[in-house]
Amino acid sequence: NAGVMQNPRHLVRRRGQEARLRCSPMKGHSHVYWYRQLPEEGLKFMVYLQKENIIDESGMPKERFSAEFPKEGPSILRIQQVVRGDSAAYFCASSPTASADTQYFGPGTRLTVL
Amino acid sequence: ELKVEQNPLFLSMQEGKNYTIYCNYSTTSDRLYWYRQDPGKSLESLFVLLSNGAVKQEGRLMASLDTKARLSTLHITAAVHDLSATYFCAVDAGSGTYKYIFGTGTRLKVLA
């Protein structure tokens, strides 16, 4: 049973470009969560999605960031017009239900903005 | 707003020694998680503590939860170099909710 998959693992963008981060949850999991980890800090919740629905985006910056989890395919975290402050590790987690005992984390995407 | 604090932030210890990492949180929660992260890697789940008084042990690590004191501890017994990593606690933001609030992490270095 494959774990949570994320790609790319490393992404380099220049200021002003777009970054698209993908997350495929574990098989049988329909709940996806995105977290951001700035250097030397803990993870910060960004958004929680179920298939075709955004349930809670209270941790998402108001501008330039968006997320989706379509009926088919991976969840996408999209960052438009990236700035240097967006450089971070972005982790996706999944669970079979919202109240599951634990969330399972993917390997992360490390975004570097030049 | 729920806040989660860990201490110490940095810990350097000799092999064979014992030490405890503390995780305090500011509002009621009955779920607490401990994760390990190696540099450049993802988070590995260590313990899930679901009730007051819960105690779990795995190898040289033991975690406990006191929901009344809003405190969890991660105790390391006879540390070995392989335990060097950053350890995070995370608290469920509300009973059965999905939002994990992470502590700042404790960076542990075990010296040979």
Side-chain angles (χ1 to χ4, degrees):
Chain A
N1 186 13
V4 178
M5 298 173 68
Q6 291 188 248
N7 68 82
R9 296 290 305 277
H10 299 274
L11 182 62
V12 179
R13 286 288 178 264
R14 296 190 181 280
R15 281 180 295 169
Q17 291 185 318
E18 179 180 287
R20 290 171 71 88
L21 289 62
R22 295 174 186 77
C23 168
S24 296
M26 286 180 70
K27 187 176 181 180
H29 289 193
S30 58
H31 299 254
V32 166
Y33 318 82
W34 286 93
Y35 293 83
R36 176 165 66 175
Q37 184 180 32
L38 295 171
E40 309 297 327
E41 294 187 11
L43 280 70
K44 298 277 196 300
F45 169 82
M46 297 181 75
V47 62
Y48 160 44
L49 309 104
Q50 296 180 26
K51 286 282 188 182
E52 299 185 277
N53 285 301
I54 297 174
I55 307 302
D56 184 341
E57 55 182 349
S58 59
M60 290 272 274
K62 294 286 185 258
E63 298 177 349
R64 302 188 296 108
F65 285 71
S66 62
E68 63 177 7
F69 189 14
K71 187 177 180 181
E72 301 290 337
S75 175
I76 307 283
L77 179 67
R78 183 181 178 209
I79 311 171
Q80 295 178 287
Q81 299 177 319
V82 296
V83 300
R84 289 220 172 107
D86 297 332
S87 295
Y90 292 84
F91 290 95
C92 164
S94 74
S95 67
T97 66
S99 58
D101 284 351
T102 194
Q103 297 174 7
Y104 297 86
F105 284 81
T109 294
R110 279 151 184 84
L111 172 65
T112 301
V113 179
L114 302 177
Chain B
E1 180 186 340
L2 175 60
K3 292 189 189 304
V4 181
E5 293 184 350
Q6 284 180 241
N7 70 83
L9 297 184
F10 298 95
L11 177 56
S12 180
M13 58 192 297
Q14 296 288 332
E15 277 194 329
K17 297 292 186 184
N18 304 332
Y19 209 85
T20 300
I21 299 171
Y22 298 89
C23 174
N24 293 273
Y25 53 98
S26 60
T27 62
T28 301
S29 178
D30 56 5
R31 293 188 180 206
L32 190 136
Y33 311 86
W34 284 97
Y35 288 90
R36 167 182 173 148
Q37 186 180 39
D38 291 291
K41 305 291 186 183
S42 186
L43 278 74
E44 174 191 353
S45 178
L46 295 174
F47 299 107
V48 180
L49 303 170
L50 300 177
S51 61
N52 185 42
V55 177
K56 291 194 174 179
Q57 183 164 4
E58 182 72 35
R60 300 174 188 274
L61 301 178
M62 183 173 70
S64 66
L65 177 62
D66 181 343
T67 58
K68 294 179 181 177
R70 298 176 186 164
L71 171 69
S72 179
T73 60
L74 180 66
H75 187 72
I76 303 158
T77 301
V80 294
H81 180 71
D82 286 351
L83 290 179
S84 298
T86 299
Y87 293 85
F88 291 98
C89 64
V91 176
D92 197 317
S95 180
T97 69
Y98 45 82
K99 193 180 297 186
Y100 287 12
I101 307 299
F102 280 82
T104 47
T106 296
R107 191 182 298 176
L108 172 65
K109 186 170 184 179
V110 181
L111 305 173

